[in-house]
Amino acid sequence: MALITLIYVSSAVRSVTSSDIQDILKQSREANGKKGITGLLLFKDGNFMQVLEGDAELVDALHQKISNDPRHGGIITLFREPILQRSFSDWKMGFKDIGHLTEDEKAGHSNYLDRPLNDAVYMSNPNEAFILLQAFKNTVR
Ligand SMILES: Cc1cc2nc3c(=O)[nH]c(=O)nc-3n(C[C@H](O)[C@H](O)[C@H](O)COP(=O)(O)O)c2cc1C
């Protein structure tokens, strides 16, 4: 099995509510569990950033399906690389709205929190996106 990691950013359509996001998560956790896909979904001020990890074929197929999902648009793939081991193995799909953090949670993350998830910084330096996702993985439900 060839493991890959893939990170993309996107923008939710205006009508997406937090209950829509809960639906996405419920659906994702069930489906990802069956496919051995792990990862983390961040949301901030209408934008998503998601990392998907798993078998290359399964991750590519899911990414294709997610790209066609009408609940978001403006999808930009930042990163797709082979990996030897997972960084998000505990999450069938963790989620964090980093637009609504407690003061404690914000500490030390100001450079990330000041910019949108689809900021050009992440396109020119995708590793920054990985660092951001890593930074929040331990605070995720
Ligand atoms: C931002 C976002 C992230 C998503 N992440 C996942 C995911 O990790 N796993 C998943 O199965 N579906 C995810 N979905 C939902 C898929 O786009 C799709 O609706 C779902 O896989 C069900 O497809 P199906 O009806 O063809 O089975 C996500 C959707 C959005 C908008």
Side-chain angles (χ1 to χ4, degrees):
M1 189 170 90
L3 272 186
I4 60 161
T5 185
L6 187 152
I7 301 177
Y8 73 85
V9 289
S10 67
S11 302
V13 295
R14 263 170 186 278
S15 54
V16 163
T17 63
S18 57
S19 110
D20 293 323
I21 296 178
Q22 290 312 316
D23 288 347
I24 291 172
L25 290 172
K26 190 165 179 278
Q27 200 176 28
S28 301
R29 285 170 180 156
E30 238 174 75
N32 294 1
K34 287 184 193 146
K35 296 178 194 157
I37 291 178
T38 50
L40 179 61
L41 178 67
L42 297 181
F43 182 77
K44 179 175 181 285
D45 305 330
N47 296 312
F48 292 109
M49 180 183 283
Q50 187 174 31
V51 55
L52 300 167
E53 296 176 329
D55 176 72
E57 270 180 41
L58 295 175
V59 168
D60 286 335
L62 176 60
H63 182 233
Q64 184 64 48
K65 195 190 271 189
I66 293 173
S67 301
N68 293 328
D69 194 311
R71 292 172 285 194
H72 64 167
I75 294 146
I76 299 168
T77 306
L78 300 180
F79 199 81
R80 182 193 178 283
E81 293 290 334
I83 46 170
L84 293 176
Q85 62 182 46
R86 295 172 193 254
S87 299
F88 300 88
S89 51
D90 294 343
W91 292 270
K92 282 179 194 142
M93 192 44 61
F95 175 73
K96 188 90 179 167
D97 179 349
I98 62 168
H100 296 93
L101 295 175
T102 62
E103 288 307 315
D104 275 358
E105 286 176 319
K106 282 183 195 168
H109 299 307
S110 58
N111 49 337
Y112 297 109
L113 300 174
D114 288 348
R115 49 167 108 113
L117 289 175
N118 58 357
D119 195 273
V121 161
Y122 298 121
M123 321 221 168
S124 53
N125 192 357
N127 204 43
E128 287 278 312
F130 189 72
I131 293 168
L132 168 62
L133 288 152
Q134 285 274 17
F136 285 101
K137 79 173 186 183
N138 292 324
T139 67
V140 159
R141 284 179 287 129

